[in-house]
Amino acid sequence: MSAGFGTRAIHSAQRPDPTTGAVIPALSLSTTYKQSAAGVHTGFEYSRSGNPNRNNFEEAIADLEGAKYGLAFASGSATTASIVNSLQQGAHIISVNDVYGGTYRYFTKVAVHGGIETTFVNLDDPANIESYFKPNTKLVWLETPTNPTLRIIDIQAIAERAHAHGALLVVDNTFMSPYFQKPISLGADIVIHSVTKYINGHSDVVMGVAVTSNEEFYQKLAFMQNSLGAVPSAFDCFLARRGLMTLEVRMQRHAENAQAVAEYLETNQYVDAVIYPGLPSHPNHELAKRQQTGFGGMISFRVKGTLDNVNKILSNLEHITLAESLGGVESLVEVPAIMTHGAVSPEDRAILGITDTLIRVSIGIENKEDLIADLKQALEKAY
């Protein structure tokens, strides 16, 4: 029987304990497991290689993304590193140029020393990618919406081009979550998340995950997961699985609030531009409507003046907290040029439009009227 997203988010991989009948799987903190004979076990032997709570989370997130397999990692960055480490020395990656600063840092400062070359490409027009493929191109790496300028990349069009050249497509789905976007259904081979963000949703877990239906890649990445050992704790997996249960209702509220806040910001005299895929003014609004089922909770906007005005806005906010990260129930605000994307070179930031007056907001699930009032009073005080 086919079930809805919210139902599967609650029930997928949730099996009552056969001994106690506990509805919620117990937290399994054991690092090792008894074997009935040498090499004979119940599927668990050492917790780095597998843990009941981790398996439970991996199965559930794979189901929600429409994939066969899930593999959880200690962070989103550990997920990225494990995928890249699965490549042979001399491999080439094509990445969207507007990518998370930590991913940019890993590609340019770490992977390069392992003989992995990355080319950053503007993919607003999918045809732009064609001239950048090489015989050794193994991966194409996307974020959509991009971080922090919220450009929308056509997943299906890029997937077709990647596969035509024998490359796999990785899509970072952190900003949308599987509730609003399912890249596997659009042709992606691997989907990754910083579970820290919307999947867990409460700003109390650092974790990452990759899902895929590609058996060969799954086996390769599972080997990396076990060999590199960048695995999450059982408790983090327990919390992240609990977070999944409310993902649907949280994402609905994030998007409802973000739409209202974005529409307000467009009317504010101190705001030069609002970037939110749910606004008709967004250049990729129609594409967002086609490949997403909602517009998410992330907004970026440009304000008039200088960094001094930005800092005055930030210092006067009462309900919206100045902090890195995103996707929690609380609203967070940051300045990408100085904070999350400080690792991106000044030249590349200029090309991408990541200026000192660009503000990124992760809209939480507070009352939208309070968020609008908070932004209004802070903007007025800043000017």
Side-chain angles (χ1 to χ4, degrees):
M1 183 178 65
S2 177
F5 185 94
T7 301
R8 288 184 292 121
I10 293 168
H11 294 289
S12 182
Q14 293 289 92
R15 303 176 185 90
D17 186 279
T19 302
T20 66
V23 173
I24 302 299
L27 177 61
S28 177
L29 296 176
S30 182
T31 59
T32 191
Y33 303 86
K34 182 180 179 180
Q35 301 188 13
S36 57
V40 180
H41 51 78
T42 60
F44 300 101
E45 49 187 325
Y46 186 62
S47 203
R48 171 169 47 76
S49 304
N51 171 278
N53 296 111
R54 193 170 93 211
N55 287 23
N56 172 259
F57 172 78
E58 290 172 337
E59 184 178 337
I61 188 64
D63 178 32
L64 293 179
E65 280 284 6
K68 292 181 181 179
Y69 312 107
L71 291 165
F73 297 87
S75 68
S77 295
T79 308
T80 298
S82 297
I83 290 172
V84 174
N85 270 277
S86 72
L87 303 177
Q88 295 290 327
Q89 187 177 27
H92 175 243
I93 299 171
I94 298 174
S95 172
V96 65
N97 61 342
D98 189 5
V99 72
Y100 165 57
T103 303
Y104 175 93
R105 179 176 58 233
Y106 187 82
F107 287 162
T108 60
K109 305 295 185 184
V110 182
V112 66
H113 297 299
I116 307 295
E117 178 194 7
T118 304
T119 304
F120 297 92
V121 182
N122 183 328
L123 296 178
D124 287 345
D125 179 355
N128 287 349
I129 198 172
E130 286 292 344
S131 63
Y132 293 95
F133 282 104
K134 301 180 179 182
N136 60 334
T137 301
K138 301 301 181 183
L139 291 180
V140 175
W141 197 284
L142 297 186
E143 291 179 12
T144 181
T146 61
N147 181 9
T149 59
L150 303 180
R151 289 152 49 212
I152 308 298
I153 309 301
D154 190 329
I155 296 172
Q156 187 170 359
I158 296 295
E160 290 170 356
R161 287 167 168 81
H163 296 157
H165 289 272
L168 298 179
L169 175 62
V170 180
V171 176
D172 186 334
N173 201 27
T174 297
F175 272 27
M176 285 289 99
S177 87
Y179 181 68
F180 281 138
Q181 183 170 261
K182 293 181 174 61
I184 296 286
S185 69
L186 297 170
D189 300 287
I190 304 127
V191 175
I192 65 170
H193 289 271
S194 172
V195 174
T196 310
K197 315 306 193 294
Y198 288 109
I199 299 296
N200 179 63
H202 293 79
S203 300
D204 53 10
V205 165
V206 174
M207 190 169 153
V209 74
V211 304
T212 185
S213 293
N214 184 309
E215 170 75 21
E216 181 182 0
F217 185 80
Y218 166 70
Q219 294 296 342
K220 188 181 294 186
L221 191 59
F223 178 81
M224 285 296 167
Q225 181 195 49
N226 187 47
S227 299
L228 296 176
V231 294
S233 72
F235 187 53
D236 283 350
C237 293
F238 179 89
L239 289 177
R241 182 63 190 91
R242 184 179 67 172
L244 273 182
M245 294 185 182
T246 60
L247 182 61
E248 178 175 77
V249 292
R250 286 187 288 108
M251 294 309 296
Q252 289 172 347
R253 181 62 171 255
H254 283 299
E256 175 191 339
N257 284 0
Q259 187 74 37
V261 169
E263 290 174 359
Y264 161 70
L265 288 171
E266 279 202 313
T267 70
N268 190 283
Q269 63 179 316
Y270 304 116
V271 175
D272 268 339
V274 183
I275 310 170
Y276 181 65
L279 295 174
S281 59
H282 191 288
N284 308 126
H285 178 64
E286 293 303 318
L287 174 58
K289 288 199 296 184
R290 289 201 307 273
Q291 75 177 18
Q292 301 165 195
T293 57
F295 303 111
M298 298 302 298
I299 298 173
S300 290
F301 63 101
R302 303 181 191 281
V303 295
K304 299 180 186 299
T306 66
L307 182 59
D308 182 59
N309 297 105
V310 170
N311 283 324
K312 287 178 180 177
I313 294 168
L314 301 176
S315 65
N316 281 294
L317 289 167
E318 297 176 1
H319 300 304
I320 303 173
T321 302
L322 174 61
E324 295 192 6
S325 199
L326 59 103
V329 293
E330 71 290 331
S331 293
L332 301 176
V333 63
E334 63 115 5
V335 184
I338 297 169
M339 299 169 69
T340 55
H341 289 68
V344 178
S345 70
E347 296 79 15
D348 286 341
R349 288 201 304 267
I351 292 170
L352 295 169
I354 304 175
T355 65
D356 288 350
T357 56
L358 178 71
I359 298 173
R360 191 192 76 180
V361 190
S362 171
I363 300 295
I365 65 172
E366 302 95 338
N367 297 107
K368 58 188 174 187
E369 297 83 3
D370 294 328
L371 298 177
I372 291 171
D374 196 18
L375 285 163
K376 182 179 180 181
Q377 61 85 22
L379 284 159
E380 289 175 351
K381 289 177 181 176
Y383 294 89

